[in-house]
DNA sequence: AGGTTTTAGTTGTTGCTTCAAGTAATCATC
DNA sequence: GATGATTACTTGAAGCAACAACTAAAACCT
């Protein structure tokens, strides 16, 4: 659209272009692969699994919705709908935070915990087959470092990795 | 679910786990970043842009829907809806293939070509800021190689890169 | 204390995606 | 050269996500 005032487009080199096409292909295929594996084996969407798994890793097996939303890069609206569904299926329950009347905690039920325990191995196996089995030893470290740098641009506060607030 | 016959889950090492969390964060954030940039600057979804851009790169500025679907990892159904919309906006037109009465060609209109020309620089700039400006020189090559390996598992036929059929 | 602002979450609408079913042209086979 | 199978797409219904508008609690600010 507004193409004129721009000094000059810095087009991609061939090397960059190839890397880009491959990266974009990965970001298209990887989510849908995980999606269908989880749907088939656990009856959950990847997002639903991710929410349950994240809550399951806390000591109390409960998390503030705001916190879940931040760590999953989801809007509170989306999360509210999804948590409503998961609650309807009996995997978690909502209760108002004792410290803050606005906030609600999502707490895993026994069924929810069981669901995670049952689904995790298959999911990890899938991750292993798709990602790590394909890579040489050194490449895991390389991938990690590269993604860390990309996240520096995509998520400067590192909210998604749950490191949002590291107190001073 | 069926968790028993599995020999033993091969859990992720710490290094792998970190790499995995970062990779998954990237696959969550990168698409939505491109999505909002394109929506804002060009009024297109990333998928719509990708379809137009892919067609624009052919000599005739036209492609079979099947081919587009394969290269974008989209179902024909999804593509049919999207192409319908893009046609409604005047960015492309459909016509039946002369060689195969079942197949249809999507051909860019002048407006469609203009749209791609207008949107591409901003999009490339965004890609550069988010991805390549963050990386050291060697890392572009590393990323490219790593993604190529992942695609080996995700897309063994390399359909997405448009290399599906290399005739004998 | 009172009023504004910010934060946390919910709800409803709109639109895109997926899924299932259907049509029509072509290929394959006998 | 008819019949069955496959391929290429279309269509309609259902579900999920994005967006906007709303409620309510807490924090902030004199």
């Amino acid at each position: 659209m507004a193409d004129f005032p721009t000094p000059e487009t810095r087009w991609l080199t061939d090397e960059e272009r190839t890397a880009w096409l491959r990266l974009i292909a990965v970001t298209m295929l990887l989510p849908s692969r995980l999606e269908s594996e989880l749907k088939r084996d656990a009856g959950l969407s990847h997002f639903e699994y991710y929410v349950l798994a994240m809550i399951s890793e806390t000591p109390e097996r409960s998390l503030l919705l705001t916190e879940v939303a931040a760590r999953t890069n989801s809007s509170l609206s989306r999360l509210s709908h999804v948590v409503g569904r998961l609650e309807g299926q009996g995997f978690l329950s909502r209760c108002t935070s004792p410290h803050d009347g606005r906030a609600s905690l999502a707490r895993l039920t026994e069924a929810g915990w069981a669901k995670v325990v049952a689904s995790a191995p298959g999911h990890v196996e899938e991750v292993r087959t798709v990602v790590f089995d394909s890579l040489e030893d050194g490449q895991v470290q390389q991938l990690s470092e590269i993604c860390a740098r990309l996240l520096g641009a995509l998520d400067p506060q590192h909210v998604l990795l749950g490191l949002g607030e590291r107190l001073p």
Side-chain angles (χ1 to χ4, degrees), chain A:
Chain A
M1 251 50 191
D3 180 24
F4 259 95
T6 336
E8 209 56 41
T9 305
R10 299 179 297 153
W11 295 103
L12 299 180
T13 65
D14 280 356
E15 188 187 38
E16 287 171 337
R17 191 182 139 79
T18 302
W20 171 244
L21 289 175
R22 288 176 177 170
L23 175 59
I24 212 173
V26 168
T27 65
M28 283 180 164
L29 290 170
L30 189 53
S32 68
R33 173 72 165 255
L34 300 173
E35 196 71 30
S36 36
E37 181 263 326
L38 280 165
K39 192 56 112 186
R40 177 168 47 82
D41 296 347
L44 295 171
S45 74
H46 184 230
F47 182 68
E48 291 169 334
Y49 172 82
Y50 204 65
V51 168
L52 292 179
M54 177 170 307
I55 298 175
S56 78
E57 281 171 12
T58 65
E60 301 288 333
R61 290 181 200 166
S62 63
L63 259 184
L64 291 172
L65 293 195
T66 310
E67 185 67 15
V68 177
R71 294 200 203 173
T72 54
N73 187 39
S74 126
S75 64
L76 274 170
S77 163
R78 179 186 184 189
L79 192 63
S80 179
H81 288 292
V82 169
V83 165
R85 252 177 276 146
L86 289 172
E87 190 174 26
Q89 297 180 275
F91 294 139
L92 50 78
S93 62
R94 268 183 285 202
C95 56
T96 307
S97 162
H99 308 296
D100 186 337
R102 297 165 300 179
S104 26
L105 286 157
R107 167 169 283 112
L108 277 198
T109 61
E110 276 309 312
W113 173 251
K115 190 70 175 174
V116 172
V117 169
S119 323
H123 182 61
V124 170
E125 193 58 38
E126 183 76 3
V127 168
R128 197 169 266 299
T129 13
V130 171
V131 178
F132 295 108
D133 285 353
S134 308
L135 299 180
E136 305 288 339
D137 291 354
Q139 290 183 313
V140 176
Q141 188 56 46
Q142 290 176 7
L143 174 63
S144 194
E145 173 63 25
I146 288 167
C147 287
R149 281 165 175 269
L150 299 190
L151 290 176
L154 290 166
D155 174 27
Q157 306 303 313
H158 295 298
V159 181
L160 249 80
L161 300 176
L163 313 170
E165 309 80 22
R166 279 285 175 254
L167 36 149

